[in-house]
Amino acid sequence: MAKEKPWSGRFTEPTDAIVETFTASVFFDRRLYLYDIMGSIAHAQMLARVGVLTKKERDAIIKGLKEIEAEIDADKFVWSVALEDVHMNIEARLIERIGEVGKKLHTGRSRNDQVATDLRLYLRDGIDVVSDAIAQLQTAILDLAEREAGTPTPGFTHLQTAQPVTFGHHLLAWFEMLVRDAQRLQDCRKRVNIMPLGAAALAGTSYPIDRAYTAKLLGFDAPAENSLDAVSDRDFAIEFVSAAALLMTHLSRMSEELVLWSSAQFGFVELSDAYCTGSSIMPQKKNPDVPELVRGKTGRVNGHLVALLTLMKAQPLAYNKDNQEDKEPVFDTLDTVLGSLRVFAGMIPGMRLKRENLARAAGSGFSTATDLADYLVRKGVAFRDAHEIVGKAVRLAIDTKRELPQLGLEEFKRLSPVIGKDVYGVLTVEGSLNARNHIGGTAPAQVKAAVKRARKRLIRPGK
């Protein structure tokens, strides 16, 4: 136990050893050290600017903080559970290094606004790193989509054959999911980038602080308007984890498709050996462990979102100790999302398509039935009538164990006299793909054009 706490003047008994360990957050919040030091340096500069510190005191504090940062970077810093958290560990070490001057650093602030500031600085950088990782994955997807712009692929609804598309067109759907994820994170970043520092414990401070100056030093867009809200708000953390949960949901959907496609029953793709593992008992196995694990980790991030929502749901204003529980979900979410994005970005380029299987699947299961209905409409048949005619054609093909292109012209004519020889061009996969030759369509030329447009929409923070 520590002999002295920063709040020990009020107490007559030392903190119980079990309570000390139970309430300490230094085990996990030490990863905020860089941001804690950054915030403290800016705070010291501001205090000197308004005359609370002398320039000499400011310089001594900044020098001491930078030396502590170097100690932590070199893994030479001794963390103390008795000092509870990253903030008090750094402050205690600062006082140890520079003496009484170090005690002046905390003038005009509280650990309440300090930790809120640290977490916002941490998340701001985290969002930028995640956004860049999204862009890297999107680039890998676009490269593969461009290469496979003309590769026929079965499109599914209800996991049943629907209509032919191209593999490139399918990958562009993945790209669009990630576009929304990147946009959500950029929007979230705006609300993250508001500075709580200066709110102190909950009611501000009587010192003549300059919050706008501190915000400028730290790169915040503005200081928070209300001191109670500034120290107790965790919406920004919940919003980040919410965006991350949706991002992981998208990666999970992609993972599910890769697991299905790489199975013997589908046989559409083969993942690189570098992203698969084998079985300890079955020599033939090649398991898609990476997409399976990403799919599994989605539940982990969803759980963090529920945890944060539950954490905040009954808290009165302003700060409460409950909020110590906000960091581990945020930290683990960031780690999980980054790991998942990076492993996906490495896996996609090495994926090998089994084009013959894809082409065969694209033309089976009566995938061009809708094209036949559209053909009849162009011949003057009302769509509902065309739908019924094609349904009967499909039934005939099922009963005779054939696909639609294998039906004879006379058989078609018995269903509708307007059908001519030109129907067979409509029933090919190529004809089906090229019929949708518009923006957002499946024609190979449109897919390539879509890839070109997509490259201009990438969000790359800081570039």
Side-chain angles (χ1 to χ4, degrees), residues 1-2 5 15-28 80-85 321 324-325 328:
M1 293 187 291
K5 303 286 188 183
T15 307
D16 185 276
I18 294 175
V19 172
E20 229 168 34
T21 302
F22 181 72
T23 59
S25 60
V26 70
F27 306 106
F28 51 84
S80 168
V81 173
L83 290 170
E84 298 184 0
D85 56 35
K321 189 66 170 177
Q324 183 171 296
E325 291 295 303
E328 288 179 288

Side-chain angles (χ1 to χ4, degrees), residues 19 102 116 144 154 182 213 224 226 237 239 276 281 312 335 353 386-387 402 408 426 428 440 445:
V19 172
L144 185 57
Y213 177 69
N226 183 277
E239 188 174 355
C276 297
I281 189 173
M312 296 304 299
D335 292 344
L353 271 62
H387 190 286
R402 289 179 289 173
V426 169
T428 65

Side-chain angles (χ1 to χ4, degrees), residues 140-153 165-172 261 268-269 348-356 358-359 433 442-448 451 455:
I141 288 171
L142 291 177
D143 290 345
L144 185 57
E146 187 171 35
R147 190 165 73 239
E148 307 297 339
T151 302
T153 304
V165 294
T166 68
F167 200 82
H169 188 70
H170 191 110
L171 289 176
L172 287 175
W261 292 348
F268 290 173
V269 303
I348 294 299
M351 187 166 63
R352 183 178 68 84
L353 271 62
K354 298 181 179 181
R355 294 183 180 85
E356 289 184 7
L358 284 165
L433 294 174
T442 60
Q446 286 296 341
V447 174
K448 287 183 178 180
V451 169
R455 293 192 190 279

Side-chain angles (χ1 to χ4, degrees), residues 223-258:
E225 286 286 341
N226 183 277
S227 60
L228 278 80
D229 182 62
V231 297
S232 62
D233 167 43
R234 291 300 183 270
D235 290 3
F236 66 95
I238 295 172
E239 188 174 355
F240 167 72
V241 177
S242 174
L246 196 44
L247 167 56
M248 288 299 296
T249 296
H250 291 152
L251 293 180
S252 183
R253 294 183 70 186
M254 299 173 199
S255 296
E256 176 68 8
E257 291 189 322
L258 289 174

Side-chain angles (χ1 to χ4, degrees), residues 183-195:
Q183 290 171 340
R184 265 185 289 272
L185 285 170
Q186 290 306 297
D187 196 48
C188 173
R189 192 186 191 280
K190 297 174 187 176
R191 283 172 288 284
V192 168
N193 207 32
I194 300 297
M195 188 190 74

Side-chain angles (χ1 to χ4, degrees), residues 144-443:
L144 185 57
E146 187 171 35
R147 190 165 73 239
E148 307 297 339
T151 302
T153 304
F156 299 97
T157 62
H158 307 276
L159 206 56
Q160 306 296 311
T161 300
Q163 291 179 272
V165 294
T166 68
F167 200 82
H169 188 70
H170 191 110
L171 289 176
L172 287 175
W174 290 7
F175 175 85
E176 292 299 329
M177 295 179 192
L178 294 170
V179 167
R180 295 190 294 275
D181 292 321
Q183 290 171 340
R184 265 185 289 272
L185 285 170
Q186 290 306 297
D187 196 48
C188 173
R189 192 186 191 280
K190 297 174 187 176
R191 283 172 288 284
V192 168
N193 207 32
I194 300 297
M195 188 190 74
L197 207 58
L202 79 159
T205 176
S206 59
Y207 295 99
I209 61 173
D210 186 343
R211 298 185 69 216
Y213 177 69
T214 311
K216 183 178 179 181
L217 289 177
L218 292 172
F220 284 109
D221 292 334
E225 286 286 341
N226 183 277
S227 60
L228 278 80
D229 182 62
V231 297
S232 62
D233 167 43
R234 291 300 183 270
D235 290 3
F236 66 95
I238 295 172
E239 188 174 355
F240 167 72
V241 177
S242 174
L246 196 44
L247 167 56
M248 288 299 296
T249 296
H250 291 152
L251 293 180
S252 183
R253 294 183 70 186
M254 299 173 199
S255 296
E256 176 68 8
E257 291 189 322
L258 289 174
V259 170
L260 287 172
W261 292 348
S262 61
S263 69
Q265 288 70 26
F266 274 74
F268 290 173
V269 303
E270 183 176 359
L271 301 177
S272 167
D273 287 356
Y275 292 86
C276 297
T277 63
S279 165
S280 63
I281 189 173
M282 296 170 283
Q284 84 282 8
K285 293 296 296 297
K286 182 176 179 180
N287 300 325
D289 278 14
V290 166
E292 286 177 352
L293 192 54
V294 169
R295 187 176 60 186
K297 285 180 180 291
T298 302
R300 179 176 182 151
V301 175
N302 289 350
H304 291 325
L305 175 58
V306 173
L308 287 176
L309 288 167
T310 306
L311 175 73
M312 296 304 299
K313 75 175 184 64
Q315 283 198 41
L317 290 171
Y319 182 85
N320 299 278
K321 189 66 170 177
D322 311 47
N323 284 349
Q324 183 171 296
E325 291 295 303
D326 63 355
K327 294 166 199 64
E328 288 179 288
V330 169
F331 295 160
D332 188 67
T333 293
L334 185 58
D335 292 344
T336 301
V337 168
L338 270 177
S340 299
L341 285 168
R342 286 169 175 166
V343 78
F344 243 83
M347 178 176 59
I348 294 299
M351 187 166 63
R352 183 178 68 84
L353 271 62
K354 298 181 179 181
R355 294 183 180 85
E356 289 184 7
N357 292 350
L358 284 165
R360 183 164 49 251
S364 65
F366 314 108
S367 64
T368 55
T370 303
D371 298 282
L372 177 56
D374 292 341
Y375 167 89
L376 289 168
V377 170
R378 289 194 295 272
K379 295 283 187 177
V381 179
F383 180 77
R384 281 300 164 206
D385 293 334
H387 190 286
E388 185 171 348
I389 291 167
V390 175
K392 291 178 179 178
V394 169
R395 183 72 261 169
L396 174 61
I398 290 171
D399 291 343
T400 57
K401 296 181 173 55
R402 289 179 289 173
E403 290 287 341
L404 286 177
Q406 296 172 321
L407 297 180
L409 182 58
E410 289 305 313
E411 290 174 301
F412 275 125
K413 282 188 172 295
R414 281 197 291 273
L415 294 169
S416 175
V418 303
I419 297 177
K421 288 183 179 180
D422 56 345
V423 72
Y424 292 104
V426 169
L427 295 175
T428 65
V429 169
E430 183 180 7
S432 176
L433 294 174
N434 287 325
R436 296 183 290 280
N437 189 22
H438 50 73
I439 291 178
T442 60

Side-chain angles (χ1 to χ4, degrees), residues 41-59:
I41 288 174
H43 186 63
Q45 289 174 313
M46 182 276 294
L47 290 177
R49 179 184 173 93
V50 300
V52 173
L53 293 177
T54 66
K55 289 183 179 180
K56 185 177 179 180
E57 289 171 334
R58 175 200 65 191
D59 292 345

